[in-house]
Amino acid sequence: MTHRITLAHGDGGEATHRLIGEIFYPAFGNPALLQGGDSALLELPGAGRLALTTDSFVVHPLFFPGGDLGRLAVCGTVNDLAVAGARPLWLSAGFIIEEGFPVADLRRLVEGMAAAASEAGVQIVTGDTKVVGRGQADGCFINTAGVGLVPPGRDLGAHRIRTGQAILVSGPVGGHGVAVLSARAGLAFETPVRSDAAPLAGLADAVLRAAPGVACMRDPTRGGLATALADLAADSGLDLWVSESDVPVEPAVQGAAEMLGLDPLYLACEGRILLFCPAAEAESALAALRDHPYGAGARVIGSVGGPGGRAYLRTAIGGTRRLERLAGENLPRIC
C-alpha cells in the first residue's frame, strides 16, 4: 500500500481491491460486507416498517475537536433513523477521495466510522470508492445511507404534535458549529469547544420507552435549533413557544458565538434531539434523557401553542422574537 491515494485506487483493479482489503474490510468487517457482492443481502429481524435515509458529508476541516468526517458520517445517518423512531441496522458508505490524499488520514477516518458504528450497534455492509484527480475534490467526501426498522405501532412526526405538548432538547446546542468553525479558522478559545457529534440511537430508544407518548423527534443539524423549530411549526400548523433562559448553551459556546457575531440557536448540532411529548410525560422523558450519557444536559424548553404555524422565542429580557429558518450561509460545509 502506498502512502497516498492514487487514481489507480479508484479504477476498480488491483489497487482498489488492496485498498478495500487493507483499509475497509478490517475496520468494518461483518458477514454481510464480506460477501463481497454488488449488494448486501440482509435478513430482516422482525415485523415493522423500514426506514431508509441518506446523507453526504463534506465537512471542512476533516478533523475537528470532538470528531472527524468519518464519525460525523455515521452519526448523522444513524441519528436521522433514530429520530424517526427506527432502530438503525445497516449503513452503506461511499467515498470520493482526491488523488494524493494521505492513506494515514483515510485510515483515521475509517477508524472513526468503525468506532461510531460499533457504538451505535449498526453494521456498514456495503460501499463504494471513487478517486478523482488533484484539485477536483477537497481531500475526501463520504456519503452514507442507512436502513432501520420501525417497530409496529410506532408513528412519529410533525403530524402528531398537539397543543399543550412539552418541548425538550437533549443537551446544550451549538457546540458542533463552534468546534468546526474554530478548527477551520485556527481559533483558540480560553475554554476549548468540542463537537457534540454522537450516535443517538440508544438515547432515542431510552426516551421512547420511558415516555411512549412522544409525538415527534428531530435532530437539529444544519440551521440549528431555531430552524428545526421553524420547520416543525410550519409542518404542524401550530405555534411553538420556547424560552431563551431555558435553552441550554454552554458558556464557552455562548462566548465564542458572541465574539463571532453568531446566534447559537442557529448553530449546528450533531448529537442533540429536539422532541415533543405530552406534558404529563415530560418529567419521565427528561429523566430518561438525563440518565443517558448523551442527554445529561437535557431541558424542557417550551410548549406547543395554538394554531398559527410559527416558532417564537421568549427572550431573557421579557420580549418575544420570531424564530425563522436560517437564511444564507451561516456556516457552510458544517457536516
Side-chain angles (χ1 to χ4, degrees):
M1 174 67 70
T2 60
H3 293 296
R4 291 189 177 276
I5 295 297
T6 68
L7 290 175
H9 286 115
D11 67 5
E14 177 61 26
T16 301
H17 281 77
R18 288 192 61 186
L19 183 72
I20 293 171
E22 296 182 20
I23 300 288
F24 299 119
Y25 277 180
F28 303 148
N30 56 71
L33 178 66
L34 296 177
Q35 292 168 359
D38 288 334
S39 297
L41 303 178
L42 309 166
E43 297 289 340
L44 290 177
R49 295 178 295 159
L50 287 180
L52 170 65
T53 186
T54 187
D55 207 343
S56 297
F57 296 87
V58 298
V59 68
H60 174 75
L62 300 177
F63 302 93
F64 47 85
D68 56 55
L69 173 68
R71 179 174 176 81
L72 199 58
V74 170
C75 294
T77 297
V78 163
N79 294 347
D80 283 346
L81 294 170
V83 296
R87 179 165 66 89
L89 297 173
W90 302 297
L91 302 183
S92 71
F95 295 80
I96 299 175
I97 311 171
E98 182 180 3
E99 179 188 14
F101 188 68
V103 169
D105 285 351
L106 178 62
R107 197 181 297 276
R108 285 179 63 193
L109 295 178
V110 169
E111 290 173 351
M113 294 183 74
S118 176
E119 183 179 354
V122 298
Q123 294 181 329
I124 297 171
V125 295
T126 189
D128 181 52
T129 303
K130 294 290 189 298
V131 178
V132 298
R134 293 177 187 272
Q136 297 176 356
D138 190 7
C140 182
F141 300 144
I142 300 176
N143 172 273
T144 47
V147 174
L149 186 67
V150 182
R154 181 171 292 171
D155 180 28
L156 303 180
H159 63 284
R160 291 197 56 221
I161 295 176
R162 299 288 185 271
T163 297
Q165 289 178 345
I167 306 173
L168 291 78
V169 69
S170 64
V173 301
H176 177 73
V178 169
V180 172
L181 180 59
S182 63
R184 184 182 302 173
L187 301 176
F189 301 112
E190 184 175 347
T191 302
V193 177
R194 295 174 60 84
S195 168
D196 52 43
L200 301 176
L203 181 65
D205 181 64
V207 74
L208 287 169
R209 283 188 281 108
V214 168
C216 179
M217 297 193 293
R218 185 67 58 88
D219 58 332
T221 55
R222 287 176 295 174
L225 180 69
T227 297
L229 287 166
D231 284 343
L232 292 171
D235 292 345
S236 67
L238 298 172
D239 285 343
L240 307 180
W241 291 86
V242 297
S243 171
E244 184 175 25
S245 58
D246 291 327
V247 175
V249 181
E250 292 181 346
V253 171
Q254 184 70 52
E258 290 176 358
M259 185 180 76
L260 298 168
L262 300 171
D263 185 341
L265 298 185
Y266 285 91
L267 291 174
C269 309
E270 291 291 342
R272 301 291 181 248
I273 295 176
L274 171 67
L275 71 90
F276 298 72
C277 71
E281 292 188 358
E283 286 303 317
S284 297
L286 190 62
L289 292 170
R290 289 178 172 174
D291 280 346
H292 192 281
Y294 292 139
R299 301 274 289 274
V300 177
I301 61 171
S303 61
V304 182
R310 297 178 176 179
Y312 295 100
L313 181 74
R314 292 189 175 94
T315 69
I317 58 172
T320 299
R321 169 185 155 204
R322 184 178 173 185
L323 298 175
E324 302 194 68
R325 295 185 178 100
L326 177 67
E329 295 183 346
N330 187 37
L331 188 56
R333 294 187 61 182
I334 197 68
C335 61

